[in-house]
Amino acid sequence: MKNDPDFETIVKDTPNFKLRRAVERLREGLFDHFGVKLLTSGETNLDQQFETQTENLEKGKPAHLCICGAYGQGKSHTLNYIWQQAIEENYAVSYINLDPREVPFHNLKQVYRSLMENLTFPCEVADSINFAANGNNPLNSNSLSNSNSLANGNRLSNGERLSKNNISPNDKSTLTNSTISGKNVLNGNGSSNFVDIWKKRVKRWLQLPENRGKSVVDMIPDNIPHRFKSILVAMYQQTEAISITRRNLKKHAGFKPREFPWILNNALMGKEIPVPQLKSALKYRKVSFYKDESLVCRGANLYMEAIKGYATMFKNIGYKGWVVLFDEAESIMLTSILNRSKSYAILHQIFCPDKASEGFLPVFAFTHDFFTYLKDEDFERTRIIRKRKPKGMTDATNKGTGNLLEGTQNLSENRKNLPENTKNIFENKDQNGENLHEETKILFFEQNYSKAWQNINIHRLRNLTSKEWHTLIRKLIQIHALAYRWEPDVDAMDKKIFSRLLKQSDAESRMKLKLIVNLLDLEQQQMVISAYT
């Protein structure tokens, strides 16, 4: 294409298999990872909004972004686009799909686990830098040489170009071993993983002249919960040496060094690890402070602090922060009112924080229905909390009636025939008919979130213009032609396809893409048949 030489070059250099796979996915009505960059239209405004939020992070301001669009309009496509942008800009990234059953947003423990399982870092660069010679911070990409700098060259450590079309959160097979995913932490295949990166980056940080006398603890933010802080320190430190003869002693029964990496990795990922096993690993990894606080991590606030703390920690070890992508966020409205209240409270901490979280950039994909539902939500709705009255007020009541439940196990008889004091017990009342419990009405929601979120950052997806559709059609014609090795009349096909799209103006964007591919398939098949007749 004359107006887009970069597109033409990328497509011609792409293997035929990858082109066909892209066409097949579009034919099924699915977005394709390879086409995220090549087929994205109207990205200028999105780039500006993403850049604004990253600038807010650099200035120490709160940052977040919401992608809002209808079903099939390209929300997942947009999140994949942001995923690639963040990776190229040296952010750690996690991409997850929220689900009311598997990954409900109100259950931050499950959200944390999913984020860690889908954690991906940018490529490791400049493995060997002479720190003392140049006096620069080895964790800062600006101090790396031009041949190794991700910022200057966007190259993988093996020299492969980090192009805008060869990476995707859901297609990690295209990533080299230099790029790690949290899913590969436990694979033990020698490739770079979270533990390798953590050890390597901490070692570099401690080698800096200004960090002499400091330890790994100084690199971990204070707001990270005690459990995870202890695990991170244990991951860096070596296992204590215990002689073979001492290992047989009862006090060293928990010394199982081969299990320690598995225990620490799984505990960091948020999985349930018995505290005694974790204590043994921390003890023999020489974590001096692990007994100072409880190693149990419960409650949404602790997991939220862990997520925000990791973002700061990733910045400390040389990345720009942590971009967290939540797809299908409108699933929040499918949960019960109690769980919605929890989810809204968590969202409020993100959208309207008391203070900025350094390096933390969450991005949510919502449908328009979510904000409509939020506007119609009854934020004045209340629920009743029953609390048993103090013991002194119930002793006299219970005297002589505590054993009345004996002999009433057979509930088949009519309750009306039961003694009056027994009926009172069933109804939580005393002999005088007064309630044994105090009832308090409280609101389900802490505030009206619809009003509180009036100024959140929203990027609204829009329908493509006629000019953008013509450009997109021509790109797809070229991809299809190279994938199946045929030579269509681009101008004629463009007009034919666009005229059909006008008749399907109300269809979803992905269904329109599916229609384009189907029309190209028919045209290509007709040419093949005519060639043999």
Side-chain angles (χ1 to χ4, degrees):
M1 299 177 67
K2 294 181 180 180
N3 296 331
D4 197 348
D6 290 339
F7 170 83
E8 187 175 86
T9 302
I10 292 173
V11 171
K12 286 185 177 180
D13 293 341
T14 302
N16 183 265
F17 169 77
K18 202 168 188 178
L19 293 174
R20 290 198 177 197
R21 184 177 61 179
V23 174
E24 289 171 0
R25 285 176 173 172
L26 293 174
R27 186 183 293 122
E28 296 298 324
L30 305 173
F31 77 91
D32 177 68
H33 311 309
F34 168 71
V36 166
K37 288 288 185 177
L38 298 181
L39 301 177
T40 298
S41 299
E43 68 274 18
T44 304
N45 185 30
L46 177 61
D47 289 340
Q48 291 175 350
Q49 294 214 34
F50 181 71
E51 183 179 357
T52 299
Q53 299 310 313
T54 55
E55 289 176 353
N56 286 341
L57 286 183
E58 295 174 1
K59 295 176 182 177
K61 298 180 180 180
H64 69 269
L65 184 60
C66 298
I67 308 300
C68 184
Y71 288 104
Q73 198 171 15
K75 297 185 299 298
S76 298
H77 179 102
T78 303
L79 289 183
N80 274 266
Y81 180 88
I82 294 175
W83 188 94
Q84 295 182 3
Q85 289 287 90
I87 286 291
E88 292 170 13
E89 294 186 22
N90 201 30
Y91 284 92
V93 189
S94 289
Y95 182 119
I96 67 172
N97 288 285
L98 296 179
D99 183 270
R101 291 175 293 274
E102 296 183 2
V103 189
F105 190 67
H106 62 268
N107 186 345
L108 270 187
K109 181 177 181 179
Q110 189 60 37
V111 171
Y112 167 88
R113 182 183 300 179
S114 185
L115 289 174
M116 294 299 290
E117 288 176 351
N118 291 278
L119 175 61
T120 305
F121 292 93
C123 41
E124 276 284 81
V125 292
D127 291 332
S128 56
I129 299 287
N130 190 343
F131 311 137
N134 53 33
N136 292 325
N137 186 342
L139 304 179
N140 188 345
S141 61
N142 294 331
S143 68
L144 304 178
S145 63
N146 288 340
S147 60
N148 290 327
S149 174
L150 178 64
N152 293 327
N154 287 338
R155 291 183 180 275
L156 302 176
S157 58
N158 62 359
E160 179 186 352
R161 178 69 180 177
L162 182 60
S163 65
K164 295 183 177 181
N165 66 328
N166 65 355
I167 54 177
S168 157
N170 300 318
D171 190 12
K172 294 189 176 74
S173 61
T174 60
L175 301 172
T176 66
N177 286 339
S178 298
T179 307
I180 54 314
S181 162
K183 292 183 178 179
N184 296 328
V185 169
L186 306 178
N187 59 12
N189 59 6
S191 63
S192 296
N193 54 42
F194 180 86
V195 179
D196 295 335
I197 285 187
W198 172 243
K199 289 182 178 180
K200 189 182 298 182
R201 294 291 177 120
V202 171
K203 184 177 181 180
R204 292 179 185 176
W205 186 80
L206 293 176
Q207 287 178 349
L208 296 174
E210 60 267 28
N211 294 329
R212 289 179 180 175
K214 294 184 178 181
S215 66
V216 60
V217 181
D218 299 313
M219 201 174 190
I220 303 174
D222 293 333
N223 60 326
I224 292 182
H226 180 72
R227 174 185 177 94
F228 298 122
K229 184 182 296 185
S230 302
I231 293 170
L232 288 168
V233 173
M235 282 181 164
Y236 175 73
Q237 299 188 156
Q238 298 294 324
T239 303
E240 181 182 354
I242 304 293
S243 64
I244 297 178
T245 55
R246 293 176 59 202
R247 293 180 190 180
N248 295 325
L249 298 177
K250 185 177 180 180
K251 67 177 182 178
H252 293 304
F255 183 75
K256 300 176 182 179
R258 292 185 179 181
E259 295 182 6
F260 293 162
W262 182 90
I263 292 173
L264 295 173
N265 282 326
N266 279 277
L268 186 70
M269 298 293 285
K271 298 181 179 180
E272 294 291 346
I273 299 296
V275 172
Q277 291 186 20
L278 182 58
K279 283 184 176 180
S280 296
L282 298 177
K283 173 185 175 180
Y284 291 106
R285 284 293 180 96
K286 297 177 285 188
V287 180
S288 59
F289 59 88
Y290 79 91
K291 292 182 179 180
D292 294 350
E293 298 179 32
S294 172
L295 292 173
V296 178
C297 188
R298 291 196 184 99
N301 290 334
L302 288 179
Y303 282 99
M304 176 57 73
E305 289 300 317
I307 294 169
K308 293 180 178 180
Y310 288 162
T312 304
M313 185 179 71
F314 294 155
K315 191 172 182 180
N316 292 343
I317 63 176
Y319 302 105
K320 288 187 176 181
W322 192 8
V323 175
V324 181
L325 306 172
F326 297 95
D327 204 355
E328 308 291 343
E330 68 276 2
S331 62
I332 291 173
M333 67 184 182
L334 302 178
T335 58
S336 67
I337 184 171
L338 184 60
N339 289 334
R340 289 201 307 277
S341 67
K342 296 177 182 178
S343 298
Y344 292 160
I346 296 170
L347 283 174
H348 190 71
Q349 293 181 39
I350 294 173
F351 293 156
C352 307
D354 296 330
K355 62 178 181 179
S357 300
E358 189 176 358
F360 180 57
L361 176 53
V363 182
F364 295 87
F366 294 104
T367 60
H368 300 294
D369 295 339
F370 174 80
F371 293 101
T372 302
Y373 190 93
L374 183 71
K375 186 177 180 180
D376 296 335
E377 187 82 76
D378 182 7
F379 291 104
E380 300 298 324
R381 186 173 173 182
T382 60
R383 58 187 173 120
I384 296 176
I385 299 295
R386 291 181 174 86
K387 184 178 180 181
R388 191 170 183 84
K389 291 182 180 180
K391 186 177 181 180
M393 298 177 62
T394 60
D395 283 346
T397 300
N398 293 333
K399 186 177 181 180
T401 62
N403 298 325
L404 286 178
L405 286 178
E406 296 180 6
T408 62
Q409 299 301 320
N410 185 3
L411 300 179
S412 59
E413 61 178 308
N414 194 320
R415 186 175 295 182
K416 294 181 180 179
N417 298 326
L418 293 175
E420 187 66 25
N421 54 359
T422 305
K423 289 195 296 182
N424 287 339
I425 291 177
F426 280 108
E427 297 172 1
N428 287 320
K429 293 182 179 181
D430 60 14
Q431 289 178 331
N432 299 323
E434 296 182 2
N435 287 328
L436 295 174
H437 294 80
E438 296 177 346
E439 296 183 352
T440 306
K441 288 185 178 181
I442 64 171
L443 292 171
F444 273 101
F445 306 99
E446 296 178 0
Q447 59 182 300
N448 188 325
Y449 295 107
S450 180
K451 293 181 178 179
W453 298 345
Q454 290 292 325
N455 298 319
I456 63 176
N457 305 314
I458 300 180
H459 173 74
R460 299 188 184 278
L461 301 180
R462 59 173 179 81
N463 294 326
L464 300 182
T465 63
S466 297
K467 182 179 179 180
E468 289 171 337
W469 271 117
H470 279 293
T471 303
L472 187 59
I473 291 170
R474 287 175 172 269
K475 287 183 176 181
L476 276 174
I477 291 173
Q478 184 167 343
I479 292 174
H480 195 283
L482 290 173
Y484 296 100
R485 296 184 176 90
W486 64 298
E487 297 180 1
D489 185 337
V490 177
D491 292 334
M493 284 301 303
D494 181 19
K495 293 180 181 179
K496 181 178 179 179
I497 293 174
F498 187 75
S499 63
R500 286 292 302 274
L501 291 181
L502 291 176
K503 300 177 182 179
Q504 305 289 335
S505 58
D506 295 333
E508 298 177 357
S509 296
R510 59 182 166 194
M511 300 309 295
K512 291 181 180 179
L513 292 174
K514 181 178 180 179
L515 175 61
I516 294 173
V517 174
N518 288 337
L519 292 174
L520 290 171
D521 289 340
L522 291 173
E523 186 69 20
Q524 187 254 350
Q525 291 170 10
Q526 290 176 3
M527 289 186 64
V528 172
I529 294 173
S530 61
Y532 288 95
T533 56

